[in-house]
Amino acid sequence: MKDLLLITPPFTQLNTPYPATAYLKGFLNTKNIDAFQMDLGIEVILELFSQKGLQEIFNLAMANDTIKSTNSQRIYALKEEYLNTIEPIISFLQGHNATFGRQICTPFFLPQASRFEQLDDMDWAFGSMGIQDKAKHLATLYLEDLSDFIVDCLDDNFGFSRYAERLGRSANSFDELYDHLQKENTHIDQITLDILEKRIKTVQPKLVCFSVPFPGNLYSAFRCAQFINQQFPEIKTAMGGGFPNTELRSVSDVRVFDFFDFITLDDGELPIELLVSHCMESESETGSSMLKRTFLKKDGKVFYNNLSPRTDYKQSEVGTPDYSDLLLDQYVSVIEIANPMHSLWSDGRWNKLTMAHGCYWGKCTFCDISLDYIKIYEPIAAKLLVDRMEQLIEQTGERGFHFVDEAAPPALMRALALEIIKRNLSVTWWTNIRFEKNFGRDLCVLLKASGCIAVSGGLEVASDRLLALIQKGVTVEQVAQVTRNFTESGIMVHCYLMYGYPTQTVQETVDSLEMVRQMFELGILQSGFWHQFALTAHSPVGLNPSDYHIIPDYQPITFANNDVQFTDTTGIDHDQFSYGLKKSLFNFMHGIGFDFPLQQWFDFKIPKTTIEKNYIANALEAPPQFTVRPNAKIIWLGGKPMATVISKSKKGQTWEVLKLLFHGKMESNEIALSKEHGEWLMNTLEKISVHQGNTVTFGQLKSDFENHMEDFELFWFSKPMLTLRSLGLLTL
């Protein structure tokens, strides 16, 4: 018996658990509250995509006479091939039986339907030896064919990472979702509820909490809560997570609380702690309990209980995420497109952590910066972060980390990297950032040395006018320089791109595409995604629409309130650009189509770009800097050099030269200095080694050098020292 059951309802990701329940379980451990967690989504997927599950799908489709399309008829005709291969395919994608990948890559092994018609060039994408990734890609197409069959013949709400998503999108009224919940359970509903029932009987919780991050989880959460109320009326149910945090802040339809007893907002630690105490009390009055940011039903109406005077926990107090109970060895890694950066979201299992609560920038006008999850910025100390990383490695056996920050702060990333290297911790990590100027070459080199393999960030609209309107705090030129710094250090870059921002012109959309084309052609972007601007109620644009020349179409709100339909006073139909922008980007990510005129991506007339052909290339040609801030920190990433003293003579004069041989991972390099300079340098490198943990500034080095010698700047910018900079002498 447990105090509570934490559930992520179907569906989020196939390859890794959504971290919310792990965060909450880690916190609850610090309060000695006994919780069990489950990812109901992955359990449903594994049941559905088994031999038994597929057989049921084929039988239902035939019994219902829904196999109408040519593609579905082909899949059904090949059903025995699918039934014979589904379980070994899933096992392979779970990381078992690696040798099976060779079989998957052979011709005529996998049954193939429509998803294989646009198969990427396998040799280009994976080479002759990339068998595992190639096999994952082929197996992913195989699963997507089966998904198409389910959508076509059984349940058009199905998706691998979402279920009945449209019911949760901009649902200002609860009516449609409520009506849907009065219908009979779908086949996928029944699988979900059967698994849930078994778990409830095993765990016997007093409270079941559903974390609902996205609209695609909402319907299943309500269906599960409905089932619990009907079958286990003594158990209380609660909902929290990203969706209610943004969408349900104005909920007033009392019918919602026929399904859920409680809906909590924002950080969940304190609200859940108080709910657990409330549910443990035998005779408590719900309305008078001291709860935190919690909606409930009282006297037949929706009541917002925020009576507790207690303040939220600091990030240093919430504990380390706990992934126990989750089926970590059964998640399914997939590769949807042949792009190494793009695959990070779907391939491999990642431990998820957060460097800082909220956003340190907090100004972007399209973002929900008025809400606490963005507005309240609180970084976590680097030492505590690395402590948590070590704890998760011990618990999960995984050394991959995805820091799920809104935008990781550069100073904290630097401190994190230094702490990782200091502890000799071998890890892989990636995160989301702003493309700000602090990401210089040397910081990027340090991040790579600590295990950072990728970053994602928003360029949004590649127009300086619109970036200023967005208050992004960057320029296109600056973004190009930062992405170059990351790329040259060996860190992949994914870019979020936007079109249709208020007042954006057709010319600006075309010019933005040209900027993106040039950045991909130069190799300073590896991946990207275009999304159309969406007006949200809690963003500066949503709160002050007239400032951005849009007319919002407000609707009466009784349920969800975030996405708001609007009219752009420019009258431009931004929807028409969607296909061309996404098609061009798909080609750019595969390294092709750079020579095509931009017009070729669109089936309607567009103006020629006004951007010069070499705009981005010119932006990258910054002159070398021969000044260093006195308070800049100097770090040495390399090891101790091998020193040799040699004598040199010229015109009767003899002097000693110190040759220093540096062995790096890839190559060895030698520099020669006067003996006096060389000995000073050797002593200094030991002091500023990243493994020493010392903080030494440029000004301190200059003072120390000039206590014995002269012209420090001349020495620092000499050719041997420039060579050393390329070997890991960093200025931060």
Side-chain angles (χ1 to χ4, degrees):
M1 181 180 293
K2 302 281 186 178
D3 295 327
L4 75 159
L5 174 61
L6 303 168
I7 297 177
T8 305
F11 295 109
T12 50
Q13 290 176 269
L14 293 176
N15 63 307
T16 197
Y18 193 79
T21 61
Y23 277 48
L24 290 172
K25 184 174 171 68
F27 164 74
L28 294 168
N29 290 342
T30 70
K31 299 298 174 184
N32 296 315
I33 296 173
D34 199 7
F36 190 95
Q37 65 180 321
M38 67 183 299
D39 181 349
L40 192 49
I42 193 62
E43 296 194 35
V44 172
I45 288 291
L46 295 177
E47 181 73 24
L48 201 58
F49 290 90
S50 64
Q51 190 174 67
K52 175 177 175 288
L54 271 192
Q55 185 67 68
E56 290 176 349
I57 289 169
F58 288 134
N59 291 346
L60 280 170
M62 177 55 69
N64 295 338
D65 191 26
T66 53
I67 308 172
K68 303 297 184 182
S69 71
T70 302
N71 190 55
S72 293
Q73 289 172 357
R74 172 173 173 75
I75 292 172
Y76 186 80
L78 294 168
K79 67 175 183 176
E80 294 303 324
E81 298 291 340
Y82 285 104
L83 292 170
N84 290 337
T85 53
I86 185 62
E87 291 190 357
I89 288 291
I90 291 294
S91 178
F92 169 75
L93 291 175
Q94 289 172 329
H96 313 306
N97 195 16
T99 55
F100 191 62
R102 295 180 179 273
Q103 177 73 291
I104 294 172
C105 293
T106 59
F108 312 114
F109 176 70
L110 289 179
Q112 299 183 7
S114 62
R115 293 291 181 139
F116 286 79
E117 292 172 3
Q118 298 182 16
L119 193 61
D120 291 321
D121 182 339
M122 293 287 99
D123 289 336
W124 173 88
F126 303 106
S128 59
M129 292 298 291
I131 290 172
Q132 294 298 304
D133 282 354
K134 179 179 178 180
K136 283 183 183 178
H137 182 51
L138 292 170
T140 302
L141 298 177
Y142 163 98
L143 289 181
E144 288 175 336
D145 275 336
L146 289 171
S147 173
D148 291 343
F149 184 87
I150 293 171
V151 170
D152 192 33
C153 304
L154 194 68
D155 190 340
D156 60 4
N157 285 316
F158 177 74
F160 278 120
S161 59
R162 61 189 63 85
Y163 188 68
E165 183 179 47
R166 66 175 184 81
L167 294 175
R169 282 200 173 278
S170 302
N172 301 143
S173 167
F174 187 51
D175 289 346
E176 185 179 7
L177 179 56
Y178 181 83
D179 291 344
H180 210 80
L181 290 163
Q182 307 314 307
K183 298 178 181 178
E184 289 187 12
N185 293 336
T186 67
H187 179 63
I188 292 172
D189 286 342
Q190 200 55 56
I191 293 174
T192 302
L193 299 179
D194 288 346
I195 296 171
L196 176 62
E197 182 177 20
K198 291 176 184 176
R199 186 54 49 82
I200 288 176
K201 288 180 177 178
T202 303
V203 176
Q204 298 179 8
K206 297 180 177 66
L207 172 65
V208 179
C209 298
F210 291 86
S211 177
V212 180
F214 309 116
N217 304 97
L218 185 69
Y219 165 79
S220 287
F222 269 90
R223 183 62 90 183
C224 290
Q226 180 187 52
F227 173 79
I228 293 171
N229 287 339
Q230 292 170 349
Q231 302 299 320
F232 303 94
E234 72 282 3
I235 297 176
K236 299 296 184 181
T237 56
M239 173 169 58
F243 183 87
N245 289 350
T246 55
E247 306 265 358
L248 299 185
R249 306 186 78 87
S250 304
V251 61
S252 60
D253 193 324
V254 74
R255 293 176 299 172
V256 171
F257 297 91
D258 295 337
F259 299 84
F260 286 98
D261 296 292
F262 312 102
I263 294 177
T264 69
L265 300 181
D266 302 326
D267 293 352
E269 289 85 2
L270 181 56
I272 282 188
E273 181 188 9
L274 295 175
L275 275 181
V276 170
S277 297
H278 167 74
C279 292
M280 297 304 157
E281 297 168 3
S282 56
E283 296 181 0
S284 59
E285 286 294 327
T286 302
S288 60
S289 295
M290 306 282 273
L291 301 180
K292 194 75 174 177
R293 296 190 300 274
T294 301
F295 285 107
L296 46 87
K297 182 163 66 174
K298 179 184 178 184
D299 299 330
K301 296 180 180 179
V302 177
F303 173 65
Y304 183 60
N305 188 325
N306 195 26
L307 301 175
S308 173
R310 292 178 58 184
T311 57
D312 283 298
Y313 288 95
K314 298 293 184 183
Q315 292 302 298
S316 59
E317 301 171 331
V318 297
T320 300
D322 183 350
Y323 284 89
S324 61
D325 309 329
L326 298 172
L327 309 178
L328 296 183
D329 61 345
Q330 296 186 44
Y331 282 85
V332 178
S333 289
V334 295
I335 296 180
E336 297 167 273
I337 68 171
N339 180 289
M341 176 71 215
H342 217 74
S343 69
L344 288 179
W345 280 274
S346 62
D347 184 21
R349 208 198 66 68
W350 302 94
N351 295 320
K352 300 198 177 188
L353 282 172
T354 307
M355 292 190 211
H357 181 287
C359 179
Y360 72 96
W361 179 248
K363 297 179 183 178
C364 297
T365 54
F366 61 82
C367 189
D368 293 335
I369 60 175
S370 65
L371 300 184
D372 284 355
Y373 82 97
I374 300 284
K375 181 173 63 176
I376 298 176
Y377 173 66
E378 184 189 346
I380 303 172
K383 289 185 178 181
L384 180 56
L385 277 173
V386 182
D387 287 344
R388 291 176 177 177
M389 293 173 76
E390 290 180 326
Q391 291 172 37
L392 285 173
I393 290 170
E394 184 176 356
Q395 183 192 83
T396 68
E398 296 283 352
R399 290 179 173 267
F401 291 86
H402 179 195
F403 290 95
V404 292
D405 292 63
E406 299 297 325
L412 183 50
M413 290 174 71
R414 178 183 67 191
L416 175 71
L418 289 170
E419 188 67 22
I420 289 171
I421 296 170
K422 181 182 174 183
R423 297 195 197 186
N424 294 312
L425 194 61
S426 182
V427 293
T428 300
W429 62 276
W430 60 294
T431 190
N432 192 51
I433 64 162
R434 288 180 61 246
F435 293 121
E436 63 159 80
K437 61 183 179 182
N438 287 327
F439 288 110
R441 171 203 168 273
D442 285 8
L443 177 54
C444 292
V445 170
L446 175 69
L447 298 176
K448 178 65 173 67
S450 72
C452 180
I453 58 165
V455 293
S456 57
L459 170 56
E460 318 309 350
V461 182
S463 155
D464 286 344
R465 181 189 77 84
L466 290 169
L467 286 172
L469 189 61
I470 290 172
Q471 295 187 39
K472 193 70 183 177
V474 300
T475 64
V476 176
E477 179 177 311
Q478 181 181 311
V479 171
Q481 292 166 354
V482 169
T483 57
R484 184 266 316 275
N485 293 339
F486 277 112
T487 300
E488 289 186 349
S489 68
I491 296 173
M492 296 184 292
V493 182
H494 173 88
C495 201
Y496 298 107
L497 303 162
M498 183 189 293
Y499 64 101
Y501 190 82
T503 75
Q504 182 173 359
T505 66
V506 170
Q507 186 67 62
E508 284 172 325
T509 301
V510 172
D511 288 349
S512 183
L513 175 58
E514 172 60 15
M515 295 284 203
V516 171
R517 185 198 69 78
Q518 290 185 26
M519 294 174 78
F520 272 97
E521 186 174 28
L522 289 169
I524 59 176
L525 285 182
Q526 289 74 51
S527 176
F529 183 79
W530 286 104
H531 65 275
Q532 189 167 352
F533 169 79
L535 177 62
T536 62
H538 311 291
S539 67
V541 180
L543 295 171
N544 305 285
S546 60
D547 292 350
Y548 299 89
H549 306 285
I550 60 172
I551 303 170
D553 180 17
Y554 292 122
Q555 299 293 320
I557 304 297
T558 57
F559 185 53
N561 178 31
N562 195 34
D563 286 1
V564 179
Q565 298 299 313
F566 68 96
T567 301
D568 189 334
T569 56
T570 64
I572 296 170
D573 177 15
H574 295 288
D575 291 348
Q576 65 182 333
F577 289 96
S578 177
Y579 180 76
L581 290 173
K582 292 175 181 177
K583 181 180 179 181
S584 62
L585 187 63
F586 182 84
N587 281 270
F588 298 161
M589 286 196 294
H590 287 76
I592 55 178
F594 299 125
D595 295 332
F596 292 179
L598 297 186
Q599 178 65 66
Q600 190 162 331
W601 304 115
F602 302 94
D603 58 2
F604 57 92
K605 185 68 175 176
I606 63 169
K608 290 184 178 181
T609 181
T610 63
I611 304 301
E612 296 177 7
K613 287 193 299 184
N614 297 321
Y615 181 90
I616 298 297
N618 292 336
L620 300 179
E621 292 180 359
Q625 296 292 320
F626 291 107
T627 58
V628 180
R629 293 177 291 108
N631 63 344
K633 296 177 178 63
I634 309 300
I635 300 289
W636 171 238
L637 290 180
K640 188 175 181 179
M642 298 176 64
T644 307
V645 180
I646 63 171
S647 295
K648 284 198 169 188
S649 300
K650 188 174 183 181
K651 295 182 179 180
Q653 300 238 353
T654 302
W655 67 94
E656 289 183 323
V657 172
L658 196 61
K659 284 195 171 184
L660 302 178
L661 179 61
F662 296 87
H663 289 289
K665 292 180 181 179
M666 302 290 290
E667 59 184 6
S668 300
N669 288 269
E670 186 177 69
I671 65 172
L673 296 165
S674 69
K675 187 179 180 184
E676 190 177 21
H677 284 177
E679 288 176 345
W680 179 88
L681 179 62
M682 287 188 66
N683 290 332
T684 299
L685 290 179
E686 188 171 348
K687 291 178 187 175
I688 65 174
S689 169
V690 67
H691 299 288
Q692 295 295 330
N694 298 326
T695 300
V696 181
T697 67
F698 182 80
Q700 289 170 329
L701 287 186
K702 175 180 168 68
S703 296
D704 184 61
F705 182 93
E706 293 183 346
N707 282 337
H708 313 285
M709 297 161 281
E710 297 179 348
D711 295 327
F712 179 67
E713 280 82 0
L714 190 62
F715 165 77
W716 186 257
F717 293 107
S718 65
K719 187 174 180 181
M721 293 301 291
L722 290 176
T723 299
L724 208 57
R725 285 200 64 195
S726 69
L727 303 179
L729 181 62
L730 307 182
T731 304
L732 302 171

